[in-house]
Amino acid sequence: MTREEKSQVIKDLTAQLADTSTIYLADISGLDAGTTSNLRRACFKADIKLSVVKNTLLAKAMDAAEKDFGELPEVLKGNTSIMISETGNAPAKVIKEFRKKNEKPILKGAFVDEAIYVGDDYLETLVNIKSKEEVIGDIVGLLQSPAKNVVSALKSGGGKLSGILKTLSEKEG
């Protein structure tokens, strides 16, 4: 690889790192071609971009990026694959599901919404992170709950103001 090619790869990686808030580093070495293909397919279905990277080039891209990757550059040893996603917990879910039948991928580290996780021990923690969509869904559910109480009170109160007030006061008590 020429110096210009390396420079272009670093530039491309830096742009990818800047454009996403979810980056996972994993070791997928030792997987045979069929298993690797299955992992790539699982990533594609979950809208995760999976690619193998050279550690030195990724480290330089991390240095060039305007984000603090903390201890992540230290895990860039051996084979490294990068998983980029818009959803914070999607790569962790794919890794966990995939490891039901395989020993790898091994989580080296993750950068999720500016939080840094180093080591495979954090896989379960990352699986349980709620995506923005899940958090919004929870909030909408909480906001709808009081409205449902009012609607049911209106229905059970018989439509008369005194009945509605009585039903609402019983629900509060």
Side-chain angles (χ1 to χ4, degrees):
M1 187 179 273
T2 68
R3 183 171 285 174
E4 291 80 25
E5 290 171 330
K6 287 179 182 178
S7 178
Q8 187 58 48
V9 169
I10 292 168
K11 202 180 288 184
D12 293 345
L13 280 171
T14 303
Q16 286 180 334
L17 297 176
D19 289 344
T20 187
S21 61
T22 302
I23 301 156
Y24 281 63
L25 303 176
D27 177 1
I28 64 169
S29 64
L31 296 180
D32 62 33
T35 308
T36 302
S37 178
N38 291 340
L39 176 60
R40 289 187 180 281
R41 193 174 298 112
C43 287
F44 180 78
K45 286 180 182 175
D47 201 23
I48 299 166
K49 183 179 180 201
L50 172 69
S51 54
V52 177
V53 293
K54 288 181 99 28
N55 291 332
T56 53
L57 301 181
L58 181 56
K60 288 179 181 183
M62 286 178 160
D63 284 342
E66 295 181 11
K67 293 181 180 178
D68 179 10
F69 290 102
E71 302 168 31
L72 284 185
E74 296 169 22
V75 304
L76 297 176
K77 294 174 178 71
N79 293 320
T80 303
S81 294
I82 187 169
M83 302 171 88
I84 296 177
S85 173
E86 292 299 315
T87 307
N89 62 1
K93 287 181 177 181
V94 168
I95 291 171
K96 183 178 179 182
E97 184 63 30
F98 207 77
R99 290 218 329 229
K100 289 179 179 177
K101 296 179 183 173
N102 304 281
E103 291 182 16
K104 293 196 175 178
I106 301 294
L107 177 67
K108 290 179 156 191
F111 176 88
V112 181
D113 293 324
E114 298 183 17
I116 297 163
Y117 305 87
V118 176
D120 197 56
D121 297 342
Y122 284 102
L123 183 60
E124 197 61 38
T125 302
L126 290 163
V127 166
N128 293 323
I129 289 177
K130 290 193 176 207
S131 68
K132 291 176 187 171
E133 292 79 14
E134 290 169 327
V135 171
I136 290 169
D138 288 350
I139 291 169
V140 168
L142 289 170
L143 292 173
Q144 285 179 340
S145 182
K148 287 178 185 174
N149 290 340
V150 171
V151 169
S152 69
L154 290 172
K155 288 180 180 174
S156 67
K160 296 185 180 169
L161 188 56
S162 60
I164 294 168
L165 292 174
K166 181 179 177 221
T167 305
L168 284 173
S169 65
E170 288 171 359
K171 286 194 181 269
E172 289 178 10

